[in-house]
Amino acid sequence: MSITVLLGAQWGDEGKGRITDALAADADIVARFNGGDNAGHTITIGSRVFKLHLLPAGIFRERCLNLIGNGVVLNPIHFLKERNEIVAAGFPVTPENLQISEAAHVILPGHIALDAAREATQGGIGTTQRGIGFAYSDKAARLGLRAGLMRDPERFAGAVYEHTQRVNRALEREYRRPPLDAQAVADQYAEAARHVAPYLANTFRTLHRALAQGRRVLAEGAQAVMLDIDHGTYPFVTSSNATIGGVLTGLGVPAQAITRVVGMAKAFCTRVGAGPFVTELDGELALRLRGTGANPWDEYGATTGRPRRVGWFDGVALRYAAQMNGLTELALTKLDILTGLDPLRICVAYAYHGAQLEDFPQDSDILAQCRPIYEELPGWQADVRSARSFDDLPAEARAYIARIEALAGVRVTMVSVGPEREQLVVR
Ligand code: IMP
């Protein structure tokens, strides 16, 4: 049994799509285990840039089977739209290369309407407004609709109708919002169910048979450690477990099957949505790190287009991520963006009311009052985009990476130096 896990070690948007794509080259199965279409994984193939929200990145690899696991929340309409886009781009998406767990939960318009309504109140945290939190709430409250129900579009339509009526009461009473047309929603989703049904499968069985045959599985995380519902900066988090435990529950696999845990970190930090961000920058430096938005890899949300908040590398947060998930290695992305900045800064501890904290505080109120304690490192001027081996990198870049490794206690095995597939240093 052999499962490689790829996890976001920061606040999401570390470039997971890019590294999953690289790792998928050696995988027989790529499986998503958490989240939904709140994710946005950007993959560059030649001159074409794809943004995947729900489909696993193995969809671009010919012999790869892709699984959407039980831990995912699936919007059937958005799934079909994404499938059609990928098919139109020339990549097949059939039940032969994609299976959706019948135990995954379905996101409905009611979830999205409630998400939007809540976001418009004081309680908003800057969600992607994809209905994620409300779909997981229904799952936990045992009111959710599982994907398997889509095999029976008539029954599914009845359940969607009832769900929408229930949501309508909340929309009107709690948020003073107009109701949704329950019949129209039920009809639309029954029609979608007919197209989704062929993809439904017992992904647990698929996965365990494959593991027993020695197949290589890649578990593709969405969001990241700091957005994890339990271990992230609650309440400024998503509603699933984006950490190692989410792999076990979101796919139904044993811990012993996991042989490799790759943490993804950007060479600096970014965050979208509200919540504490100790190393956050503003002004010129922030603009420089964020980019103008002219390039698809500039720091604007892949799902919502929102400008991302940017900051210096946070070594305290990374150490927390490494400990929690048992990271066996690190992939560092966007090193090329730091070229020309001198000096560089890495946060090595937090200052909190006169005390120095080495450990990441789990209380967001404390975190919000922490100030960064930085170490300065010399920058580099040489263009790193053509580097293909570690030795090709300037000494200052290697020293920057070495400092990150020391803080995390984990070796950096991959460094991306540009958006193209081949702009990757593998150590
Ligand atoms: P939700 O997952 O849409 O409920 O959003 C909750 C929080 O997670 C918000 O701060 C979002 O900006 C953030 N978030 C959700 N998905 C992603 C992602 O894929 N990348 C980065 N941030 C995300």
Side-chain angles (χ1 to χ4, degrees):
M1 291 212 254
S2 153
I3 301 179
T4 295
V5 174
L6 185 87
L7 297 173
Q10 297 166 323
W11 278 270
D13 310 311
E14 299 90 352
K16 286 184 287 293
R18 187 190 193 320
I19 301 292
T20 329
D21 176 54
L23 293 175
D26 296 322
D28 302 301
I29 293 183
V30 181
R32 272 280 302 269
F33 59 88
N34 78 305
D37 60 319
N38 47 349
H41 296 168
T42 306
I43 295 171
T44 309
I45 303 175
S47 59
R48 297 193 292 176
V49 179
F50 298 94
K51 294 202 190 243
L52 295 177
H53 301 286
L54 211 40
L55 290 173
I59 208 72
F60 298 118
R61 301 281 177 182
E62 217 175 307
R63 6 154 253 99
C64 226
L65 172 62
N66 295 274
L67 303 180
I68 294 181
N70 60 278
V72 170
V73 283
L74 179 112
N75 180 320
I77 305 286
H78 291 182
F79 162 71
L80 291 170
K81 183 169 172 280
E82 187 166 320
R83 178 202 64 171
N84 293 345
E85 283 166 10
I86 299 301
V87 169
F91 299 92
V93 184
T94 70
E96 273 65 59
N97 73 341
L98 177 77
Q99 294 184 2
I100 298 171
S101 167
E102 52 212 4
H105 275 249
V106 180
I107 300 180
L108 296 172
H111 297 130
I112 297 170
L114 288 170
D115 196 353
R118 163 85 70 80
E119 280 300 301
T121 70
Q122 291 282 320
I125 61 148
T127 72
T128 61
Q129 301 202 19
R130 295 294 190 273
I132 304 296
F134 286 89
Y136 279 117
S137 301
D138 274 351
K139 173 178 172 177
R142 290 152 299 181
L143 291 166
L145 274 61
R146 284 180 155 204
L149 196 56
M150 286 191 275
R151 287 206 182 94
D152 184 343
E154 300 301 314
R155 261 184 72 213
F156 182 64
V160 171
Y161 182 85
E162 295 217 340
H163 181 269
T164 312
Q165 293 282 59
R166 179 164 61 78
V167 167
N168 279 343
R169 290 193 285 278
L171 279 176
E172 287 177 299
R173 277 190 212 144
E174 282 176 47
Y175 299 102
R176 312 251 170 257
R177 292 235 164 177
L180 303 173
D181 180 342
Q183 193 55 54
V185 170
D187 292 344
Q188 186 195 16
Y189 277 68
E191 179 55 22
R194 290 187 183 92
H195 297 281
V196 175
Y199 296 97
L200 295 171
N202 180 339
T203 53
F204 175 90
R205 191 172 57 202
T206 304
L207 205 46
H208 279 269
R209 283 195 180 156
L211 287 170
Q213 290 166 1
R215 300 259 192 272
R216 291 157 306 174
V217 175
L218 174 64
E220 177 188 3
Q223 292 83 48
V225 173
M226 298 302 161
L227 293 175
D228 182 278
I229 180 90
D230 285 278
H231 300 288
T233 55
Y234 193 90
F236 306 100
V237 292
T238 190
S239 299
S240 66
N241 285 114
T243 45
I244 194 79
V247 181
L248 310 186
T249 55
L251 294 174
V253 291
Q256 303 93 301
I258 296 173
T259 49
R260 185 178 174 199
V261 187
V262 184
M264 291 275 327
K266 218 178 267 188
F268 49 98
C269 280
T270 65
R271 157 162 224 174
V272 269
F277 184 3
V278 177
T279 62
E280 184 165 16
L281 292 167
D282 54 20
E284 278 296 302
L285 206 45
L287 292 175
R288 163 79 170 68
L289 287 173
R290 186 179 299 123
T292 58
N295 296 313
W297 52 87
D298 284 348
E299 298 297 346
Y300 294 79
T303 299
T304 58
R306 290 178 288 177
R308 295 179 186 141
R309 300 159 67 194
V310 294
W312 289 119
F313 194 91
D314 187 337
V316 182
L318 184 70
R319 190 164 47 229
Y320 174 69
Q323 284 176 331
M324 180 189 313
N325 298 289
L327 299 184
T328 58
E329 59 194 278
L330 268 173
L332 201 65
T333 54
K334 298 190 90 167
L335 188 74
D336 50 306
I337 301 297
L338 297 184
T339 301
L341 288 180
D342 197 5
L344 297 168
R345 291 173 143 193
I346 293 180
C347 174
V348 295
Y350 296 157
Y352 174 69
H353 293 300
Q356 180 165 325
L357 306 185
E358 310 286 338
D359 294 318
F360 189 80
Q362 285 205 312
D363 183 324
S364 289
D365 289 337
I366 295 178
L367 190 63
Q369 296 169 59
C370 287
R371 297 290 163 261
I373 298 176
Y374 287 122
E375 231 173 69
E376 286 197 351
L377 285 89
W380 58 89
Q381 303 301 325
D383 190 353
V384 296
R385 287 176 296 178
S386 56
R388 293 295 174 270
S389 83
F390 204 69
D391 294 334
D392 294 341
L393 295 171
E396 295 82 359
R398 281 181 276 140
Y400 184 78
I401 294 168
R403 188 66 189 110
I404 288 173
E405 289 180 317
L407 285 165
V410 181
R411 197 170 137 87
V412 171
T413 57
M414 284 173 271
V415 183
S416 86
V417 289
E420 302 294 335
R421 256 182 176 171
E422 67 279 7
Q423 286 178 307
L424 187 68
V425 172
V426 181
R427 211 170 175 190

